[in-house]
Structures are given as C-alpha cells and as structure tokens.
Amino acid sequence: MKLLRYGALGAEKPGLLDAAGRVRDLSGVVSDIAGDTLRPSGLNALHALDPETLPLVEGRPQADLRLGACVGGIGKFICIGLNYADHAEEAGMPIPEEPIIFNKWTSSVVGPNDDIQVPRGSVKTDWEVELGVVIGEPGSYIDEADAMNHVAGFCVINDVSERDFQLNRAGTWDKGKGCDTFGPTGPWLVTVDEIADMNAMDMWLDVDGKRMQTGSTATLIFKIPHLVSYCSQFMSLQAGDVISTGTPPGVGMGQSPQTYLHGGEIVTLGISGLGAQKSKVVPAL
C-alpha cells in the first residue's frame, strides 16, 4: 500500500495510490496520514479497503497534482549520521562504533517536489538521498527482534545539509540540518509488506542530470531493526516519527573539487520501490 498526502501546502488531504498510479481520496476514512492511522490497527483498516470504491482525485501525482510530505504531523525527525562506511570515508571521519543521532527540525519538512531553498549566508548546501523509516506502533526500549513490528513503512528523504553551518558554526550538527525546506519527504509512504528486501534497496541522486550518488541499503552499517531499537533506548518512539537512516557516498562535500548547490539546479533522487523526488534549488526568501 502506498499512502500519500496531496493538495495545496498546509491543506493536504490523505490519499493512496491505486494500481493504475492514480490518487484515491481517503479523507472520508481518515483525517490524515499521521498518528493512529499509522498504527497496525489503522493500517489494517486501510488495507481492507477496495481502492476502486474510493473517490478518484483529478490530476497526475507529481505532475499537475502536488504531493505534500507523505507523513503529516511528524513529531520527531531523527537522523542517523555516517551510516555507510564509504560515506564516512569520503567525509574523512571514522566509522562510528554506535549510531550517531542528530535531528532535523520538523519545520524543514516539505513535499517531494517542492523547492529547496539555499539559506541566507550558505556556501555549502549539500544533498543526501536517504531511506526514511516511519514509526507505526509506539514504544520505548524496543527489542531488536521486535523492532519491525513498530515500523509502518518506508519513504524517500533528501537530507539536505549546509556543511558550513553543520561543521564550522560551533555546537551540534543540527544547525546545518534543519533549515526550512531541508527535509523533502515522499512521494509516498510504502508499507512494509510491499518491500521484498529492505536490505537490498537501490538508491540514487542526480544533480542537473549528472549521477552523483549510487548506493544500496545492503551497505548500511547499522541495519533498520537495530536503528529502531537503538533510538528507542534514548526516547520513546511515537506513531509518525521518522528515522532517516544515512546516505551512501557521492555527496557534494565528497567531490573533488567539492561541489555545492547555489540555486538553479534540479535535484532528482529515488529509492527502488519507494518512488522519486524532483526539486528545484532556489535562494531563500
């Protein structure tokens, strides 16, 4: 099942993608793709629906029908750093012994085709294709063996980052991670049952048609069940929380010479089975 949110910014409605790639309206069934809708009971109720009985929404998703972030009301946007060995190498940092946790502010969340804004004063705005894990069943101190029972599904995330803010402006990485528009999320939330092997999902990212990142979840250092369990040792996980699991090599900081976004570029990215994003880079307002 592919769940989504469509419509104008700030007024998105819940929907699902049918077998023909058309959007079906869920607003008569649930208020949003958020909270309790993402718990097992909520997803089971949506699975039981016949999409053909739901109202058809006019327009083509990601063409003449805007999609918002595929999860509404995200409570926590948790990110994992340096979770691919080859990305750690290109960043000149050691492979972590434990997952590195940082945050993106939820005000950074935008739709999968919304513009990415280069912040005022930015000199090193970068890209990162990442697999997002969406929490369904809440929990604390979750056993790794039980972790996937707490996952509602997966989505594509671009962990846009300003490296100068992140690394040179004192304090934690968060300064360079949570700027407005730095969290394109979607196009859809794909439920766990649709993914044949979460450890073999291809990932890619292009800038102006040039392939910059190519990777696979096969090379994650810390796998998804471990990340869910690990994060839950430090905070309760709630329905609708998102964990962004790290990026493969090929980011701008790792290029020779280093390459960054300044405005005017088109960034496209995707993950097998989860869809793709396409965003224009523009100066901040």
Side-chain angles (χ1 to χ4, degrees):
M1 185 167 55
K2 293 180 174 69
L3 301 174
L4 55 89
R5 300 169 68 248
Y6 70 92
L9 179 66
E12 292 90 350
K13 296 181 179 181
L16 62 78
L17 197 71
D18 69 16
R22 301 169 301 184
V23 173
R24 298 285 179 163
D25 179 44
L26 282 172
S27 58
V29 182
V30 295
S31 61
D32 202 354
I33 306 301
D36 287 345
T37 299
L38 299 171
R39 298 183 72 164
S41 59
L43 292 180
N44 289 339
L46 295 182
H47 272 294
L49 297 173
D50 178 0
E52 297 297 319
T53 66
L54 298 170
L56 184 64
V57 178
E58 292 186 7
R60 298 165 296 162
Q62 299 186 278
D64 51 357
L65 177 63
R66 177 188 175 271
L67 298 184
C70 59
V71 181
I74 295 172
K76 294 190 286 296
F77 199 155
I78 305 158
C79 297
I80 308 299
L82 303 177
N83 200 24
Y84 290 77
D86 32 14
H87 173 55
E89 181 180 358
E90 74 173 353
M93 299 179 182
I95 295 174
E97 296 182 3
E98 294 186 53
I100 295 172
I101 297 176
F102 61 92
N103 296 289
K104 294 179 85 75
W105 317 126
T106 54
S107 52
S108 72
V109 176
V110 290
N113 301 100
D114 291 342
D115 290 346
I116 294 169
Q117 296 180 11
V118 176
R120 296 179 185 180
S122 168
V123 292
K124 295 182 178 181
T125 295
D126 206 346
W127 56 82
E128 296 190 14
V129 58
E130 302 202 2
L131 171 67
V133 176
V134 180
I135 298 300
E137 182 64 20
S140 300
Y141 304 106
I142 298 167
D143 290 335
E144 187 169 333
D146 188 45
M148 293 310 298
N149 292 324
H150 293 261
V151 175
F154 305 105
C155 63
V156 181
I157 290 172
N158 187 356
D159 176 20
V160 186
S161 308
E162 212 297 336
R163 302 301 186 187
D164 188 53
F165 296 179
Q166 175 189 353
L167 301 173
N168 301 325
R169 295 290 296 273
T172 67
W173 287 5
D174 301 337
K175 287 182 181 178
K177 292 290 190 172
C179 301
D180 289 356
T181 76
F182 271 26
T185 301
W188 14 85
L189 185 162
V190 181
T191 51
V192 174
D193 57 289
E194 287 211 9
I195 303 302
D197 187 352
M198 62 185 175
N199 295 313
M201 302 171 74
D202 294 329
M203 313 166 68
W204 58 272
L205 182 145
D206 295 348
V207 178
D208 288 338
K210 180 180 179 181
R211 183 59 45 93
M212 306 303 287
Q213 288 187 274
T214 302
S216 169
T217 57
T219 60
L220 280 167
I221 298 170
F222 302 108
K223 303 297 185 182
I224 295 165
H226 181 75
L227 292 176
V228 172
S229 174
Y230 185 86
C231 290
S232 78
Q233 309 306 306
F234 302 97
M235 68 198 85
S236 62
L237 297 178
Q238 307 296 329
D241 287 349
V242 174
I243 303 173
S244 197
T245 58
T247 197
V251 300
M253 182 174 62
Q255 305 296 314
S256 183
Q258 292 183 341
T259 303
Y260 294 107
L261 302 170
H262 301 287
E265 300 92 348
I266 301 295
V267 180
T268 53
L269 59 146
I271 300 176
S272 59
L274 302 184
Q277 301 182 359
K278 182 178 181 179
S279 298
K280 183 178 181 179
V281 182
V282 301
L285 300 176

